[in-house]
């Protein structure tokens, strides 16, 4: 048993864990982080950051291939797939090193190894040489994250049936790929591989792609993806994958019957499952419900002194959510009185081209909730900046409550919209009404003018339509 006792031990160093540790240290708490793999978790090493690096390469390639649209001649552009993957890994490594620096700067002890919580507010850590050391703390935060969900019909073999990690580090470009699932992860990989030249088919169980988004966003993306050459099969289910031959034979059950698709690789992008196994939850008696650790609004589990944040608890599996939860959790531990997180005001972004960004209720959800609505929509085809940028696809759609002017939701698809959504999150937090938004001067020419114009459209005051 280590003689050092900590105020806080965080198990897992993803954007939930490392951010919680930094905030705890800022608040004067003696803090340690236990990490079995790379510092920074999935987000920095195998999620948000390396995928955005891959997507950037695809966007650069797309730009170059369309250089003539901008009056520029480029001859013989070709993509070096290995170089693209190498760049992505380099970006991820750099980010992980950044977390190492932040741990040092904030005097946080990094304990390398597999953490298992024990009764009596202890964590047993098994290092790479199988040596076990037990550490004690007044507060233990579980932040062990999540991994790819495996569908029964598609056992991930890392060669032909890929999880997201494998799809990030392929050693050669597949010619044909089937992407199963059209949430953010599936859609981003589909864009990446299609832009790099693969023949991509997306299979989605529900009746539209990006099914959590507003229906109009799904429709627009589907149209643009089809225009870009992708095949989209909705209301369809993969029932079997035969990997015995040179490639894969994918059996898909559709409304019209069964179809067989041939491809080199299949990407299983059907969501994630929380990492709850072999971390001591049963030994301590921590309650789990539907695959997630049960917590209250300050992330306390049913066992005093044990907390959980990020992808192991219910709520959207997003890096910024994990970080926000970590901060609230330790501020409460330190005796502060933070506001609980408003899960109704969490932005969600998909970084394909065009990008998708949204927050709050979709039109359908707002109607279901009984609101009478004012909808304002502004297409980028009417935006000066979008025209100049050659990015006229997409729109901003705002959903207002008719009675009080509350902005219930915002849904965007288009160039740069992932950078625009934070404005909406802020104005919703400040309870800004549609009238105030119309009177908020936006710089010209910017894509963000479309937000002001969409608000104006909701009140029949739109100028540029
Ligand atoms: C391909 C992909 C793209 C994504 N893109 C985005 C995006 O653009 N934006 C966004 O917001 N979210 C994105 N996400 C989701 C985001 O990565 C997660 O929501 C986020 O990483 C969750 O953070 P976390 O701290 O809960 O856990 P994680 O980041 O999963 O970190 C958990 C850490 O705990 C460690 N660990 C697990 N068990 C133990 C143990 N017993 N002992 C010690 N260490 C342990 C793991 O090694 C890992 O480092 C993406 C995810 C994927 C897979």
């Amino acid at each position: 048993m280590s003689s050092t006792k900590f105020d806080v031990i965080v198990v897992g160093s993803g954007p939930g864990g490392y951010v919680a540790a930094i905030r705890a240290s800022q608040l004067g708490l003696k803090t340690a982080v236990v990490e079995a793999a790379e510092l920074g978790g999935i987000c920095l090493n195998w999620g948000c950051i390396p995928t955005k690096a891959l997507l950037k390469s695809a966007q650069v390639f797309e730009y170059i291939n369309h250089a003539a649209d901008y009056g520029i001649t480029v001859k013989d552009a070709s993509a070096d797939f290995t170089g693209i993957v190498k760049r992505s890994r380099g970006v991820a490594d750099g980010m992980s090193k950044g977390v190492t620096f932040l741990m040092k700067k904030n005097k946080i002890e990094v304990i390398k190894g597999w953490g298992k919580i024990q009764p009596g507010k202890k964590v047993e850590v098994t290092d790479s040489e199988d040596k076990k050391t037990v550490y004690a703390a007044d507060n233990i935060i579980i932040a062990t994250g999540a991994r790819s969900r495996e569908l029964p019909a598609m056992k991930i073999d890392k060669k032909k049936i890929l999880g997201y990690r494998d799809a990030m580090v392929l050693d050669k470009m597949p010619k044909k790929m089937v992407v199963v699932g059209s949430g953010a992860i599936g859609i981003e990989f589909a864009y990446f591989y299609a832009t790099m030249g693969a023949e991509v088919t997306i299979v989605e169980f529900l009746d539209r792609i990006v099914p959590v988004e507003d229906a109009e966003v799904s429709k627009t993306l589907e149209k643009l993806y089809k225009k870009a050459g992708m095949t989209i099969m909705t209301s369809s289910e993969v029932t079997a994958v035969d990997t015995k031959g040179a490639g894969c034979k994918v059996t898909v059950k559709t409304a019209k019957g069964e179809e067989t698709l041939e491809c080199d690789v299949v990407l299983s992008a059907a969501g994630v499952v929380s990492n709850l196994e072999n971390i001591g939850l049963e030994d301590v008696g921590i309650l789990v419900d539907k695959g997630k650790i049960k917590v209250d609004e300050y992330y306390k589990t049913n066992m005093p002194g044990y907390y959980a944040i990020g992808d192991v608890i219910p709520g959207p599996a997003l890096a910024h959510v994990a970080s926000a939860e970590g901060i609230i959790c330790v501020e409460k531990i330190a005796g502060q009185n933070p506001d609980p997180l408003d899960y109704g005001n969490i932005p969600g972004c998909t970084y394909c081209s065009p990008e998708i960004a949204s927050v709050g209720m979709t039109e359908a959800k707002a109607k279901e909730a009984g609101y009478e609505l004012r909808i304002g929509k502004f297409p980028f085809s009417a935006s000066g900046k979008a025209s100049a940028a050659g990015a006229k696809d997409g729109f901003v759609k705002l959903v207002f409550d008719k009675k009080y002017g509350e902005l219930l939701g915002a849904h965007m698809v288009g160039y740069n919209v992932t950078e625009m959504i934070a404005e909406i999150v802020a104005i919703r937090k400040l309870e800004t009404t549609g009238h105030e938004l119309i009177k908020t001067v936006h710089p010209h020419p910017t894509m963000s003018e479309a937000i002001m114009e969409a608000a104006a459209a909701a009140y029949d005051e739109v100028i540029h339509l």
Side-chain angles (χ1 to χ4, degrees):
M1 167 114 178
S2 162
S3 55
T4 321
K5 180 160 181 219
F6 294 94
D7 296 317
V8 176
I9 295 180
V10 189
V11 184
S13 74
Y18 86 79
V19 169
I22 292 173
R23 188 72 189 115
S25 177
Q26 285 174 346
L27 292 166
L29 302 172
K30 190 170 173 48
T31 306
V33 166
V34 182
E35 175 53 62
E38 306 94 340
L39 281 178
I42 294 305
C43 171
L44 273 61
N45 297 285
W46 297 102
C48 324
I49 302 300
T51 52
K52 273 47 200 201
L54 293 174
L55 290 165
K56 185 68 197 177
S57 292
Q59 281 152 8
V60 170
F61 193 44
E62 194 177 20
Y63 259 128
I64 292 172
N65 285 331
H66 289 93
D69 298 349
Y70 298 85
I72 296 165
T73 309
V74 178
K75 279 194 187 131
D76 303 331
S78 65
D80 165 17
F81 186 70
T82 315
I84 289 170
V85 171
K86 197 170 153 205
R87 174 178 180 274
S88 163
R89 297 319 307 154
V91 171
D93 288 349
M95 295 302 294
S96 184
K97 286 197 183 93
V99 176
T100 307
F101 163 78
L102 290 173
M103 296 296 100
K104 272 200 194 114
K105 182 185 163 216
N106 288 284
K107 301 187 175 45
I108 294 161
E109 185 160 336
V110 175
I111 304 167
K112 284 274 174 192
W114 182 263
K116 197 169 173 189
I117 58 170
Q118 294 186 331
K121 294 197 266 184
K122 294 191 189 103
V123 181
E124 177 196 79
V125 182
T126 307
D127 71 12
S128 54
E129 275 141 31
D130 222 22
K131 186 173 157 243
K132 294 184 192 318
T133 310
V134 176
Y135 299 84
D138 289 333
N139 305 282
I140 294 169
I141 303 175
I142 304 159
T144 50
R147 60 183 184 278
S148 277
R149 178 188 300 282
E150 278 196 279
L151 295 173
M154 302 170 44
K155 191 108 190 81
I156 292 172
D157 64 11
K158 296 175 180 292
K159 288 190 176 73
K160 289 186 182 171
I161 304 182
L162 312 174
Y164 60 81
R165 277 187 185 232
D166 320 308
M168 248 174 259
V169 289
L170 289 182
D171 49 15
K172 65 174 197 299
M173 255 295 288
K175 286 198 178 74
K176 282 189 183 184
M177 180 180 229
V178 172
V179 175
V180 184
S182 73
I185 295 177
I187 281 294
E188 288 183 3
F189 276 110
Y191 167 76
F192 172 71
Y193 279 106
T195 308
M196 298 314 301
E199 224 177 274
V200 172
T201 301
I202 300 171
V203 181
E204 168 57 54
F205 182 70
L206 296 174
D207 62 356
R208 59 191 174 94
I209 57 167
V210 284
V212 298
E213 301 294 345
D214 192 272
E216 286 190 79
V217 170
S218 299
K219 209 167 138 194
T220 300
L221 195 76
E222 176 162 345
K223 201 174 96 200
L224 293 169
Y225 265 35
K226 281 182 174 163
K227 200 171 143 201
M230 285 178 250
T231 303
I232 293 181
M233 301 173 75
T234 49
S235 304
S236 299
E237 185 185 358
V238 171
T239 52
V241 182
D242 177 357
T243 56
K244 285 198 284 291
C248 310
K249 284 198 173 91
V250 184
T251 311
V252 185
K253 197 169 110 195
T254 74
K256 290 182 200 142
E258 219 167 70
E259 272 189 46
T260 304
L261 309 175
E262 299 212 356
C263 63
D264 303 315
V265 288
V266 179
L267 169 62
S268 173
V272 293
V273 282
S274 301
N275 294 323
L276 303 180
E277 299 81 4
N278 198 25
I279 58 170
L281 295 179
E282 305 78 12
D283 306 338
V284 177
I286 288 178
L287 287 178
V288 171
D289 184 36
K290 298 190 187 94
K292 301 277 177 185
I293 297 176
K294 276 183 90 168
V295 288
D296 72 4
E297 60 185 356
Y298 290 111
Y299 310 107
K300 286 184 198 151
T301 68
N302 59 308
M303 298 305 287
Y306 294 85
Y307 305 78
I309 58 169
D311 282 3
V312 289
I313 64 167
L318 292 169
H320 41 286
V321 172
S323 299
E325 291 168 346
I327 289 170
I328 291 170
C329 178
V330 293
E331 286 180 348
K332 190 70 179 171
I333 288 173
Q336 296 192 347
N337 202 16
D339 285 338
L341 189 59
D342 175 3
Y343 285 92
N345 200 23
I346 302 288
C349 296
T350 306
Y351 299 80
C352 45
S353 276
E355 297 178 339
I356 298 172
S358 62
V359 64
M361 286 188 233
T362 60
E363 181 178 349
K365 283 263 180 313
K367 274 188 187 146
E368 249 174 66
Y371 286 99
E372 232 191 297
L373 302 179
R374 255 181 206 283
I375 306 286
K377 202 172 149 192
F378 190 80
F380 286 120
S381 56
S383 148
K385 180 65 182 285
S387 283
K392 296 201 290 185
D393 291 320
F395 57 83
V396 171
K397 173 176 173 179
L398 302 181
V399 179
F400 290 98
D401 162 39
K402 202 168 196 172
K403 198 164 173 198
Y404 299 112
E406 185 189 349
L407 179 48
L408 300 170
H411 308 280
M412 308 179 188
V413 54
Y415 166 67
N416 223 28
V417 295
T418 59
E419 299 293 342
M420 285 160 53
I421 196 71
E423 173 183 350
I424 304 282
V425 180
I427 65 176
R428 273 166 50 82
K429 185 157 177 63
L430 300 172
E431 298 184 1
T432 306
T433 64
H435 287 296
E436 290 164 321
L437 179 51
I438 297 168
K439 299 292 182 217
T440 304
V441 178
H442 284 63
H444 178 74
T446 57
M447 299 296 281
S448 71
E449 285 172 293
I451 293 175
M452 179 180 66
E453 290 272 33
Y459 289 86
D460 298 325
E461 295 176 27
V462 67
I463 302 294
H464 290 99
L465 273 185

